[in-house]
Amino acid sequence: MEQMTKTTNSTPKISERAQAQRERILSAAQICFVDRGFHAASMAAIAETAGMSQGLIYRYFAGKDEIILAIIARELTDSRNDIASLQTGNQLAARIEELFSNWLAAREDTMNARLFLELTSEASRAPKILEAVKNSDLQAREDLGELFRRASQEHGRQLSEGELCWRAFSLQVFVEGLVVRALREPEVDPQLLTQSLQAFLPIWLGRSG
C-alpha cells in the first residue's frame, strides 16, 4: 500500500516536468523559427537554444512538424482562454492593442508577427499544418461569435448566426492585418489603432450595423 501511494503521488510531478520540458522546447523552437525560418531551423539549433540534447527533444516530438503543430495548438489554447476572459468591449479593445504592442516589440515568448507569417507560409506547403491552422481559425471564429452573441444580447439585440459569423470573420481579418502592419510599419502611431477600434467595436459587438 505504501509503495502504491508513493507511485500515485509522484505521477503529477512527472507530468508537470514533462509539460515544462515541452514548453521549453516550443519556446526555443519559436526563437529558431523566427530567426532562421522553419526549413533552416534544424533540430540541433532548437536543442542548443533549449539547452538540451537532441535526443531529449525526440522524446517529446518526432520532428519539426510535430513541434509546429504543438505551437499551433498552444496558440489556440491561449486564444480561447483570452476570448473566454473578455467581458466587455473595452477589454476586447485593450487586448487587441496589447497584441499589436507585442507584435511591434517582436517579443519572442509570444506568437509574434514574424512567426505568424512563417506559420502561414508553411501552411501553404504542408497539408497537415494547413489543416491545423484552418481548424484553429474556425474554433477561434466560433468563440468570437459567442462573445459577440453575449455582447449583443446585453444591448437587447439578437444577432443571427450569419451576423455573428461575419462579425467574427471581419475581426479575424482586422487582427491579421495588424500582423502585417507591425512588420511593414513598426513606427505607426498607435492612436490610429485606437481610433479604428472605436469605429469598429460597436459593429462587432452588435450595438450598430
Side-chain angles (χ1 to χ4, degrees):
M1 290 291 292
E2 182 180 354
Q3 185 175 0
M4 289 180 63
T5 301
K6 287 182 179 179
T7 302
T8 302
N9 290 341
S10 66
T11 301
K13 293 182 180 179
I14 295 173
S15 178
E16 289 172 6
R17 176 174 172 76
Q19 184 60 32
Q21 292 285 60
R22 283 175 57 88
E23 290 297 321
R24 183 175 166 189
I25 294 166
L26 295 181
S27 296
Q30 284 193 186
I31 294 172
C32 292
F33 292 155
V34 169
D35 287 345
R36 311 180 187 203
F38 285 135
H39 294 283
S42 64
M43 292 295 278
I46 294 172
E48 181 180 358
T49 303
M52 61 178 65
S53 68
Q54 287 189 64
L56 184 56
I57 290 181
Y58 282 114
R59 287 180 58 185
Y60 297 98
F61 300 100
K64 283 196 293 183
D65 280 359
E66 275 199 12
I67 292 176
I68 295 170
L69 292 174
I71 289 174
I72 294 170
R74 182 171 71 171
E75 176 63 16
L76 175 59
T77 298
D78 291 345
S79 176
R80 297 197 72 187
N81 289 338
D82 270 353
I83 295 170
S85 71
L86 299 174
Q87 300 296 325
T88 67
N90 287 339
Q91 288 178 343
L92 175 59
R95 182 57 183 142
I96 293 173
E97 290 179 325
E98 181 184 7
L99 285 172
F100 189 54
S101 177
N102 289 343
W103 293 332
L104 288 174
R107 286 179 51 183
E108 294 179 334
D109 60 335
T110 64
M111 177 63 74
N112 62 39
R114 290 177 63 186
L115 181 60
F116 179 89
L117 293 182
E118 278 287 338
L119 277 173
T120 302
S121 177
E122 189 64 17
S124 70
R125 295 185 289 266
K128 283 187 178 180
I129 294 173
L130 174 60
E131 182 181 5
V133 169
K134 285 174 63 177
N135 289 339
S136 176
D137 285 350
L138 290 173
Q139 182 61 70
R141 191 176 305 162
E142 183 178 324
D143 291 348
L144 286 170
E146 286 304 310
L147 170 65
F148 296 154
R149 186 195 306 278
R150 295 194 306 270
S152 63
Q153 288 173 343
E154 289 174 1
H155 288 82
R157 295 190 66 183
Q158 187 67 42
L159 298 177
S160 69
E161 291 301 318
E163 289 173 316
L164 293 170
C165 187
W166 72 251
R167 281 172 166 81
F169 175 79
S170 65
L171 176 54
Q172 286 181 307
V173 171
F174 181 89
V175 171
E176 289 164 1
L178 290 177
V179 175
V180 178
R181 281 304 102 209
L183 289 175
R184 292 189 178 182
E185 201 176 353
E187 73 286 352
V188 66
D189 183 357
Q191 188 62 26
L192 287 175
L193 174 57
T194 300
Q195 293 169 342
S196 299
L197 288 171
Q198 289 172 348
F200 289 120
L201 270 175
I203 298 174
W204 289 328
L205 298 174
R207 298 173 189 170
S208 65

